[in-house]
Amino acid sequence: MSKTVKKTYRYRFYPTDDQEDLLRRTFGCVRYVYNRALEARVESWKSNRRTLTYSESSALLTDWKKDPELDFLNQVSSVPLQQSLRHLQVGFTRFRAKKSAHPRFKSKRRSAQRAEFTNSAFTWNGQQLKLAKSRSPLKIVWSRPLPQGAEPSTVTVGLDRAGRWHVSILFETSVAPTPVAKATAVAIDLGIHSLATLSTGEKVTNPQFYKRDRRRIAKAHSTLNRKVKGSANHERARKRLARAHAKVADRRRDHLHKLSTRLIRENQTIVLEDLAVENLKRNGGKAKTGINRSISDAAWGQLRSLLEYKAGWQDRNLIIVDRFFPSSQLCSSCGARSGPTTLTVRQWSCDCGAFNDRDVNAARNILAAGLAATVCGGDRSRIRTPL
């Protein structure tokens, strides 16, 4: 039975000079409105201990557009400006729910340059996309086909630090879950030496994309440091460094997409251990910079995010085991807690006679804990084993 889901299709495009000028001005206006609205919210909280609502922020935007000194806000589409206020509202909602940090001011050089257009600010005829205030459609490289007959609801235009233009088109489309041959279940133990160790015994090699290109990135960074800030040479060196980082990120994203898709297609139930990635990097400290860099390069959080939404599309069961579950210290054969506590020990023998590989053993314990929770009907996000 098919289900309706939201999917985003991302493409490269090459704007004309007029389109680039319009989009860059739009980015600047979006950033200005966001920062000024954030400043107004912060000042309101400091003054009378209350934050502005979205409606009050929208009213402020109307007043700003009437100011002759801010006439540049009227030269771009009003929809991206309004969307920036909605994004700010979402940021404060998540902050109050303790799901994210306090919204921060956007920087022209450090923040992503994006503008979001709803269906009232673009036209789509099934083949061409034209944004508001633009005279011609975007020259998009259609690297993969779009859903037949689907109508886009949102279009997001972005410029990354490497100078590449992207357009992300959001569709509502129907997806028919692919049935698996057997009601198989697999658990994943995430690591650095092996990116993912499955309970079946399979180990997925960690490509370590950043480590492979580290010298090239370091050389590009060194070249950038020798350039005078603000010069043309500095900008060229900055883009060269950004392209090196973008290449690493693109290859990592492609690898994780392929891995997550395979796991979802082959298994009905996937069990994953909850990891506090930021805490692991924070505990490493300066003395363990290499470990911190390896954790970031592995991108465990990104893999989990991919598995979560793909499991929802395909009606798979994704179970998250509590991060304090001692999966590496329990023997998967007898259940005794006789395993090593240090990461240097990769294989060990239990008193029951079982010889365990640390990662495979942990994956099997994670699978057992996850399946036990589904049978008992307990909270899947808090699974522990009695000591």
Side-chain angles (χ1 to χ4, degrees), residues 47-66:
S47 302
N48 49 29
R49 308 303 291 178
R50 65 175 295 270
T51 184
L52 300 178
T53 63
Y54 166 75
S55 299
E56 292 172 328
S57 299
S58 182
L60 287 177
L61 175 59
T62 303
D63 295 337
W64 297 338
K65 296 177 74 173
K66 294 178 181 178

Side-chain angles (χ1 to χ4, degrees), residues 150-381:
E151 290 294 328
S153 58
T154 304
V155 169
T156 303
V157 178
L159 174 65
D160 63 16
R161 291 181 57 80
R164 303 178 301 179
W165 292 86
H166 294 94
V167 57
S168 299
I169 309 175
L170 179 65
F171 289 91
E172 279 195 0
T173 182
S174 60
V175 173
T178 305
V180 293
K182 298 180 180 179
T184 54
V186 68
I188 307 171
D189 179 64
L190 300 175
I192 295 177
H193 299 288
S194 297
L195 175 61
T197 301
L198 308 185
S199 54
T200 59
E202 177 187 354
K203 292 189 176 183
V204 180
T205 304
N206 185 4
Q208 296 183 323
F209 295 110
Y210 179 85
K211 185 176 181 180
R212 287 160 55 180
D213 284 6
R214 184 179 174 184
R215 286 190 177 182
R216 186 163 63 93
I217 293 175
K219 183 178 179 181
H221 202 285
S222 177
T223 302
L224 175 64
N225 291 337
R226 293 196 300 268
K227 306 302 179 183
V228 179
K229 289 187 177 181
S231 65
N233 286 336
H234 184 276
E235 179 62 17
R236 281 193 289 269
R238 185 198 65 78
K239 285 188 176 181
R240 189 178 302 113
L241 175 61
R243 285 195 294 268
H245 279 291
K247 184 177 180 180
V248 172
D250 289 345
R251 287 187 296 172
R252 181 189 298 119
R253 187 185 308 110
D254 178 71
H255 176 72
L256 293 179
H257 267 293
K258 291 176 179 177
L259 174 60
S260 59
T261 299
R262 178 172 73 88
L263 293 173
I264 292 295
R265 286 178 177 174
E266 295 177 354
N267 301 279
Q268 179 61 41
T269 301
I270 299 96
V271 187
L272 192 65
E273 186 177 16
D274 184 23
L275 294 176
V277 179
E278 293 302 322
N279 291 345
L280 291 173
K281 291 191 292 185
R282 191 180 301 116
N283 292 338
K286 295 183 179 180
K288 296 184 179 180
T289 305
I291 296 178
N292 297 346
R293 189 181 293 117
S294 298
I295 293 175
S296 299
D297 195 15
W300 298 329
Q302 187 176 358
L303 176 59
R304 173 174 170 174
S305 298
L306 296 177
L307 289 172
E308 285 177 341
Y309 79 75
K310 291 181 181 181
W313 286 355
Q314 297 295 329
D315 288 337
R316 302 298 196 258
N317 302 318
L318 181 63
I319 306 171
I320 306 300
V321 176
D322 187 83
R323 68 186 61 167
F324 298 107
F325 174 64
S327 58
S328 300
Q329 300 175 30
L330 298 175
C331 175
S332 58
S333 298
C334 66
R337 190 166 182 174
S338 57
T341 57
T342 59
L343 294 175
T344 55
V345 179
R346 310 309 303 174
Q347 295 178 332
W348 55 282
S349 296
C350 180
D351 294 338
C352 69
F355 182 75
N356 297 316
D357 178 279
R358 181 189 182 94
D359 297 332
V360 176
N361 176 74
R364 290 172 179 170
N365 285 327
I366 293 172
L367 177 62
L371 294 181
T374 60
V375 173
C376 299
D379 184 356
R380 298 183 181 184
S381 64

Side-chain angles (χ1 to χ4, degrees), residues 3-71:
K3 57 192 302 185
T4 302
V5 299
K6 291 184 178 181
K7 276 191 173 184
T8 300
Y9 291 75
R10 188 166 178 258
Y11 301 95
R12 287 284 300 274
F13 78 96
Y14 299 88
T16 63
D17 293 340
D18 291 339
Q19 290 173 343
E20 181 174 351
D21 177 67
L22 174 61
L23 289 173
R24 287 185 181 275
R25 286 189 286 118
T26 302
F27 294 154
C29 292
V30 167
R31 187 172 56 253
Y32 177 85
V33 169
Y34 183 94
N35 288 342
R36 187 156 181 179
L38 175 56
E39 182 182 15
R41 283 176 175 254
V42 172
E43 290 298 327
S44 175
W45 179 258
K46 288 182 179 179
S47 302
N48 49 29
R49 308 303 291 178
R50 65 175 295 270
T51 184
L52 300 178
T53 63
Y54 166 75
S55 299
E56 292 172 328
S57 299
S58 182
L60 287 177
L61 175 59
T62 303
D63 295 337
W64 297 338
K65 296 177 74 173
K66 294 178 181 178
D67 188 345
E69 295 184 358
L70 302 180
D71 184 62

Side-chain angles (χ1 to χ4, degrees), residues 86-152:
R86 291 191 174 94
H87 294 162
L88 181 61
Q89 178 65 31
V90 172
F92 272 97
T93 301
R94 291 181 57 83
F95 169 68
R96 287 192 291 268
K98 297 182 179 181
K99 294 182 178 180
S100 64
H102 189 279
R104 297 185 297 178
F105 292 97
K106 293 185 179 295
S107 168
K108 179 179 180 179
R109 300 194 180 278
R110 295 183 180 180
S111 303
Q113 305 298 307
R114 293 194 185 96
E116 186 176 280
F117 300 79
T118 59
N119 52 15
S120 62
F122 64 85
T123 56
W124 167 257
N125 61 5
Q127 295 179 336
Q128 292 182 326
L129 179 67
K130 183 179 178 182
L131 302 177
K133 302 276 187 177
S134 180
R135 299 178 181 178
S136 57
L138 299 179
K139 185 180 178 182
I140 301 175
V141 180
W142 300 106
S143 53
R144 58 171 176 160
L146 291 170
Q148 288 292 336
E151 290 294 328

